[in-house]
Amino acid sequence: MNYPSKVLERAVEEMSNLPGIGKRTALRLVLHMLNRPDTQTENLADALQHLVRDIQYCEKCHTISDALVCQICSNPLRDDSIVCVVEDVRDVMAIENTGQYKGVFHVLGGRISPMDGIGPGQLHIQSLVKRIESENIKEVIFALSSTMEGDTTSFYLYKVLKNFDIQFSTIARGIGVGDELEYADEATLVRSLQNRIPYVESSSK
Amino acid sequence: MNYPSKVLERAVEEMSNLPGIGKRTALRLVLHMLNRPDTQTENLADALQHLVRDIQYCEKCHTISDALVCQICSNPLRDDSIVCVVEDVRDVMAIENTGQYKGVFHVLGGRISPMDGIGPGQLHIQSLVKRIESENIKEVIFALSSTMEGDTTSFYLYKVLKNFDIQFSTIARGIGVGDELEYADEATLVRSLQNRIPYVESSSK
């Protein structure tokens, strides 16, 4: 594309470096920015600058935080003997939104994926080992995505951690609440049968 | 959503103010920014700041420009007796990319759309009238989108300009090059029949 202005071209190029945003979408977004009050785009630019300058990661669980230790790790009401291992901060947010989990987290920062060149060394695994050595942790919950990479990561973690005297668990795989059986994929259906649980009245609610 | 960090939340909120980007997409984009080198996001923020501070519009045709008069208007090789009226800079770029148009442009900045609260007063129509009064313009080409709003805008412009001694034309509507007839919509097919042109050997190339 030939741009009528270098300023425009640079903004479009930088926007189109984001994943899922092509040149056309970037141009549409940039032209939208020019049609709205300038302060809104200045706010966006300022927010992005603060993002990279001021973002911090909790030194205990590695989640994104505004302080050295995050709100969850520093909350005395949370049960720090249960650690839920997740891939990234989105998983922390998803679990926190349920309001049902009272333990703490450990954010790996991804999953083992040789295809993407991500090995165990790039993930926050050593710091998890140190937490287990130094803190009074009783249970580790693997809450990784149900993919080849997620399962590989869970298995790797289990091998690294199995000699510690702690319980290991993984989140349940099965038919989602509200889902029709006939549309479930085979692997999920098999897992939901293998991992069936005793029926109690409240579980059907 | 509950965000673990105000810095993160602000960046997500500002990104999700862009059209077509919801909270989830914004979060994905912002987390991507945190996983890439900081300089890339600083470059993006800088490009957006320059965009709103330094962008200029050509004082003749209102297209986006790096100078007071754009490259097209200031090019002595362009035929400034032919003015192609378009909605926005994307249309200028699309026509320029063909490399076949030798006239100049006039960017309206949108189209008349009462539903969106855009009337003729918000478009660069008065400056088009002034151009026709003061310059030696022989033909005005309406190259607006083939929608109710585009057609309304063309009709409004024609009513405003019809007393000037100039030719008016509109870009051809018809079956796109390479398109199958059977998939064309009825309105397009009718127009392509009504506006049929004499067959010459080169037109089938």
Side-chain angles (χ1 to χ4, degrees):
Chain A
M1 271 198 277
N2 289 317
Y3 295 90
S5 147
K6 293 274 172 224
V7 179
L8 179 75
E9 180 169 9
R10 191 176 159 224
V12 172
E13 290 292 333
E14 292 293 342
M15 283 297 287
S16 67
N17 280 337
L18 294 172
I21 296 188
K23 288 278 160 68
R24 253 166 216 277
T25 306
L27 180 58
R28 187 172 57 83
L29 293 175
V30 167
L31 291 180
H32 172 85
M33 289 182 206
L34 289 173
N35 283 330
R36 66 180 187 177
D38 286 356
T39 48
Q40 289 190 31
T41 302
E42 280 163 7
N43 280 342
L44 170 61
D46 187 60
L48 297 185
Q49 262 161 351
H50 275 286
L51 179 76
V52 289
R53 279 183 205 155
D54 300 341
I55 203 85
Q56 286 187 294
Y57 295 90
C58 173
E59 59 178 15
K60 281 183 82 174
C61 73
H62 306 289
T63 196
I64 290 170
S65 165
D66 283 335
L68 267 178
V69 177
C70 74
Q71 288 167 354
I72 298 168
C73 288
S74 59
N75 184 344
L77 298 174
R78 306 290 293 230
D79 181 357
D80 56 10
S81 71
I82 305 176
V83 176
C84 181
V85 179
V86 294
E87 286 169 22
D88 71 18
V89 68
R90 274 176 292 185
D91 306 321
V92 174
M93 288 169 66
I95 293 174
E96 282 301 285
N97 273 342
T98 68
Q100 301 288 313
Y101 178 65
K102 296 297 167 208
V104 294
F105 292 93
H106 190 87
V107 178
L108 291 178
R111 52 197 176 195
I112 296 169
S113 173
M115 295 282 281
D116 303 319
I118 299 172
Q122 275 120 299
L123 304 179
H124 297 298
I125 294 177
Q126 273 314 305
S127 64
L128 177 60
V129 173
K130 276 190 196 138
R131 280 181 80 176
I132 294 170
E133 283 170 349
S134 61
E135 294 172 32
N136 183 29
I137 291 168
K138 289 177 186 147
E139 182 178 356
V140 167
I141 305 171
F142 298 132
L144 303 169
S145 55
S146 185
T147 57
M148 182 78 90
E149 291 88 359
D151 289 345
T152 304
T153 310
S154 296
F155 184 64
Y156 181 89
L157 285 173
Y158 177 70
K159 286 220 308 187
V160 170
L161 304 174
K162 67 178 174 188
N163 291 329
F164 289 102
D165 180 27
I166 45 176
Q167 271 202 312
F168 296 99
S169 59
T170 178
I171 51 168
R173 311 290 183 192
I175 309 291
V177 177
D179 280 2
E180 304 266 5
L181 230 71
E182 60 177 319
Y183 298 119
D185 64 294
E186 249 176 69
T188 302
L189 208 50
V190 168
R191 285 243 217 164
S192 76
L193 284 167
Q194 284 171 342
N195 305 326
R196 62 192 180 276
I197 50 168
Y199 181 80
V200 282
E201 245 183 284
S202 66
S203 67
S204 62
K205 265 182 204 164
Chain B
M1 270 198 276
N2 289 317
Y3 296 89
S5 146
K6 294 274 172 222
V7 178
L8 179 74
E9 179 169 9
R10 190 174 158 223
V12 172
E13 291 290 331
E14 293 293 343
M15 284 297 286
S16 67
N17 280 338
L18 295 171
I21 297 188
K23 289 276 161 70
R24 253 166 216 277
T25 307
L27 180 59
R28 186 172 58 82
L29 293 174
V30 167
L31 291 179
H32 173 84
M33 290 182 203
L34 289 173
N35 283 330
R36 66 180 188 178
D38 285 357
T39 49
Q40 289 190 30
T41 302
E42 280 161 7
N43 280 342
L44 170 61
D46 188 60
L48 297 184
Q49 262 162 351
H50 275 288
L51 178 77
V52 290
R53 279 182 205 155
D54 300 342
I55 202 84
Q56 286 187 295
Y57 295 90
C58 172
E59 58 179 15
K60 281 182 82 173
C61 75
H62 306 290
T63 197
I64 290 169
S65 165
D66 281 335
L68 265 179
V69 176
C70 74
Q71 289 166 353
I72 299 169
C73 288
S74 58
N75 185 344
L77 298 174
R78 305 292 292 233
D79 181 356
D80 55 11
S81 72
I82 305 176
V83 176
C84 181
V85 178
V86 294
E87 287 169 22
D88 72 19
V89 69
R90 275 177 291 185
D91 305 321
V92 174
M93 288 168 66
I95 293 174
E96 281 302 284
N97 273 343
T98 69
Q100 300 290 313
Y101 178 66
K102 296 298 169 209
V104 293
F105 292 93
H106 189 87
V107 178
L108 291 179
R111 52 196 174 196
I112 297 170
S113 173
M115 294 282 281
D116 303 319
I118 299 172
Q122 277 119 298
L123 304 178
H124 297 300
I125 294 176
Q126 273 314 304
S127 63
L128 177 60
V129 174
K130 276 190 195 136
R131 281 181 79 175
I132 294 172
E133 283 170 348
S134 60
E135 294 172 33
N136 184 28
I137 291 168
K138 288 178 188 147
E139 183 179 354
V140 167
I141 304 170
F142 298 133
L144 302 170
S145 55
S146 185
T147 57
M148 181 79 88
E149 291 89 357
D151 289 344
T152 304
T153 310
S154 297
F155 183 64
Y156 181 89
L157 286 173
Y158 178 70
K159 286 222 305 186
V160 170
L161 304 174
K162 67 178 175 187
N163 291 329
F164 289 102
D165 181 27
I166 46 177
Q167 270 202 315
F168 296 99
S169 60
T170 179
I171 52 169
R173 311 291 181 190
I175 310 291
V177 176
D179 281 1
E180 305 266 5
L181 230 70
E182 60 177 317
Y183 299 118
D185 64 294
E186 249 176 68
T188 302
L189 207 51
V190 167
R191 286 242 217 165
S192 77
L193 284 167
Q194 283 172 342
N195 305 326
R196 62 191 181 274
I197 51 168
Y199 181 80
V200 284
E201 244 181 286
S202 66
S203 69
S204 63
K205 263 183 205 164

